[in-house]
Amino acid sequence: MLIKLAWRNIWRHKRRTIITSFSIAIGLALALFFTAISDGSYGKLIAMAVKLSSGHIILEHSTYRSNPSLKYTVTNAEALIEQIIKLPHVVGYSKRITGPAMLSTSHGTVGGAFDAIVPDLDRKISLLPKSIVKGTFLDKEHPNGIILGLETARKLKVELGSKVVMTAQDKSGDTVQELFRVQGIFETKSTEIDGFYFQIRLARAQKMLRMDSNELTRLGIFLEDQLYQKAVMKQIQALPLVQSSQVAVLPWQEIMKALSSYIAIDNASNYLFQFLLFLIILAGVLNTVLMSVMERTYEFGVMLSIGFHQIGRASC
């Protein structure tokens, strides 16, 4: 009986029912739309960030994060790569030696951070080769090549083929210098990257910094999608080679904390907006229900007087 009465009451005022249903549908559609837009933008942002960085998952020496010195390196990189590349959802990897350095020319000196890479690996997974605006990306034909950001090149007043001197500290802590030639200039539209970051070849860096050919400061793992990150991390951490060595398995959130914090804050503001939207819709629905009940107060009184007590219990 109650279901029958409720159904009749819904269609007693068709216009009011349609308007209420339409408002609920619009609210739900907006919530789904903004959630989808946010997830999509986060996914693209993360994909771009990890391709400019080292990957979705990063392997480092357990002490390197607190003390970024070349003394703390991953010494069994090749053996780790052989095991990790076989795991599901892993699509690539990058080999890195990173650290602070200075670039000098006759026009001045610029401080920054360098990445020593394997060009053939990064060309497949990194966005930087696509950001080259002058010259070419690193290759085997130019062992002394270096690529700089557009802002760094402007500060040093260099062009393609210009000589630059790189100064850094080797594995023993001694200051070393090497001469490089500008092979390419990139532009990412990021002031920090274009004015602070540069790349050289891994083999050249290992020789310059007196490191073994199997030593890395960072091994990056790239996945099909960042949604597989936690599952793949557990599989890597379970590898006997990882457990028996001083290797830390880190997510990209640990390396790029600023980006991770931005996404968390933006996501929280999105949920707050959806909560307020549902409050507005709920107020409209409650108002409709209240009007429907008040209009039928006389009818409910008649039904109660003839012994239909379920109305009284339902209204309570």
Side-chain angles (χ1 to χ4, degrees):
M1 178 65 74
L2 284 177
I3 295 176
K4 188 175 182 180
L5 288 173
W7 179 255
R8 287 181 177 178
N9 187 56
I10 288 174
W11 296 109
R12 190 174 190 181
H13 295 282
K14 293 182 180 179
R15 182 182 299 178
R16 185 170 62 193
T17 300
I18 292 172
I19 291 174
T20 303
S21 301
F22 187 72
S23 65
I24 295 173
I26 288 293
L28 182 60
L30 286 174
L32 293 175
F33 174 77
F34 284 114
T35 300
I37 290 293
S38 298
D39 289 345
S41 62
Y42 297 154
K44 289 183 178 180
L45 188 61
I46 292 169
M48 291 180 63
V50 298
K51 286 183 178 181
L52 284 172
S53 183
S54 299
H56 296 90
I57 301 172
I58 296 89
L59 278 69
E60 295 179 347
H61 191 282
S62 56
T63 312
Y64 184 79
R65 184 99 331 234
S66 58
N67 185 8
S69 169
L70 295 181
K71 296 178 181 179
Y72 306 108
T73 59
V74 178
T75 57
N76 52 352
E78 293 300 329
L80 284 170
I81 291 170
E82 290 181 6
Q83 295 185 10
I84 294 173
I85 201 65
K86 298 176 183 178
L87 297 176
H89 310 302
V90 175
V91 296
Y93 63 92
S94 66
K95 300 161 72 174
R96 291 275 203 279
I97 294 177
T98 62
M102 292 192 301
L103 294 181
S104 304
T105 65
S106 58
H107 299 284
T109 301
V110 172
F114 74 92
D115 250 356
I117 66 165
V118 178
D120 291 341
L121 293 177
D122 275 49
R123 193 174 284 109
K124 298 176 182 178
I125 53 181
S126 175
L127 291 179
L128 207 58
K130 300 178 182 178
S131 303
I132 299 291
V133 293
K134 293 181 181 180
T136 60
F137 192 60
L138 297 173
D139 54 42
K140 295 180 180 178
E141 297 178 1
H142 301 85
N144 294 333
I146 185 172
I147 59 172
L148 314 170
L150 189 63
E151 183 64 20
T152 302
R154 185 190 64 80
K155 291 178 181 178
L156 294 175
K157 297 181 181 180
V158 296
E159 295 293 338
L160 296 179
S162 298
K163 296 179 181 178
V164 295
V165 177
M166 175 177 163
T167 304
Q169 286 188 331
D170 65 9
K171 188 175 181 180
S172 302
D174 297 328
T175 300
V176 292
Q177 290 184 326
E178 287 285 343
L179 182 66
F180 292 88
R181 286 188 179 273
V182 178
Q183 183 178 342
I185 298 175
F186 60 82
E187 184 180 15
T188 63
K189 306 298 183 181
S190 171
T191 304
E192 292 182 356
I193 296 176
D194 293 342
F196 185 76
Y197 179 73
F198 48 93
Q199 286 188 342
I200 59 176
R201 294 182 68 246
L202 181 69
R204 182 66 176 175
Q206 288 171 332
K207 182 178 179 181
M208 171 185 173
L209 302 172
R210 299 184 178 91
M211 299 174 67
D212 294 336
S213 59
N214 198 34
E215 280 188 282
L216 302 173
T217 58
R218 183 178 295 175
L219 174 61
I221 307 300
F222 292 84
L223 309 176
E224 294 175 5
D225 193 290
Q226 62 101 13
L227 297 176
Y228 301 118
Q229 183 187 58
K230 291 184 178 180
V232 176
M233 280 186 63
K234 290 181 179 178
Q235 292 176 324
I236 295 175
Q237 290 168 342
L239 293 175
L241 193 58
V242 173
Q243 294 181 348
S244 62
S245 58
Q246 293 180 310
V247 176
V249 182
L250 306 172
W252 66 264
Q253 292 92 333
E254 186 71 21
I255 307 299
M256 296 177 283
K257 292 184 178 181
L259 177 61
S260 178
S261 298
Y262 164 76
I263 291 176
I265 294 172
D266 191 70
N267 205 23
S269 64
N270 185 38
Y271 282 128
L272 179 60
F273 169 77
Q274 292 185 26
F275 176 73
L276 294 175
L277 180 64
F278 277 112
L279 280 182
I280 295 172
I281 296 171
L282 182 61
V285 173
L286 289 175
N287 183 56
T288 301
V289 173
L290 181 61
M291 289 175 60
S292 177
V293 172
M294 295 300 293
E295 288 175 354
R296 304 190 66 187
T297 302
Y298 178 77
E299 297 176 24
F300 290 151
V302 172
M303 295 179 69
L304 286 171
S305 66
I306 61 176
F308 197 80
H309 297 293
Q310 291 185 19
I311 293 292
R313 288 197 297 269
S315 61
C316 292

